Amino acid sequence: MKRSAELAVLVASGTLTACAAGEDRGLQFSTLQQVADELQRLSAAPLDSNAVWSWSQTLEHCAQSIEFSMTGFPEPKSAVFQNTAGAAAFRFFQWRGRMIHDLAEPIPGAPPLAADAPAAASLAQLQNAMAAFTAWTAPLQPHFAYGTLGKPDYEQAHAMHLAQHLSGFKLKA
């Protein structure tokens, strides 16, 4: 009953939104090492995409999310939202092992994603953000929607976020 009540809160709050149209590989990651392995695989060859954003925009968006977990999100939702709907959404995603969010929605207040950024630069930004997060020992900043997360939960949140975004890309056949 508790899980169905959480799901009802998520649907009512608009937290669950439709994924991008097209093929979704349904990736599931719980660690940044799993993400790094997939990034290495995808970066080695040309890609087909059903993603909303380009490869470089997707990588930049995901890097921003990791960077903001260390430096602070520009426009967090209210503490009430973070402690109710946001926290419930994160618990649901953890239970499910996979995140669902609007893949075309930028992080509130984040700088616009570069439409023409070289893929190598965006990949380096993401890899640097992942390495910085892994080495980070200072307190993490509250997530703009989920609120305060410990490092293991934040890593899982980042991994699930990346899994959903990377699910729109695959190696060309």
Side-chain angles (χ1 to χ4, degrees), residues 68 71-79 81-82 105-111 142-146:
F68 291 147
T71 63
F73 284 84
E75 292 180 15
K77 294 192 180 281
S78 72
F81 181 91
Q82 290 177 1
E105 187 175 341
I107 297 166
H143 185 275
F144 79 93
Y146 307 146

Side-chain angles (χ1 to χ4, degrees), residues 35 39 42-43 47 53-67 113 118-127 129-130 162 165-166 169:
V35 172
L39 285 172
L42 290 175
S43 297
L47 300 174
W53 291 326
S54 71
W55 176 241
S56 61
Q57 287 173 312
T58 299
L59 297 176
E60 181 182 357
H61 167 77
C62 293
Q64 286 176 340
S65 180
I66 295 171
E67 292 163 355
L113 301 172
S122 297
L123 178 61
Q125 179 187 1
L126 177 55
Q127 290 170 326
M130 290 169 53
L162 276 147
H165 278 285
L166 296 182
F169 296 91

Side-chain angles (χ1 to χ4, degrees), residues 137-160:
T137 58
L140 294 162
Q141 300 299 310
H143 185 275
F144 79 93
Y146 307 146
T148 302
L149 298 175
K151 192 167 182 182
D153 286 342
Y154 236 134
E155 180 175 7
Q156 184 180 19
H158 290 316
M160 289 187 298

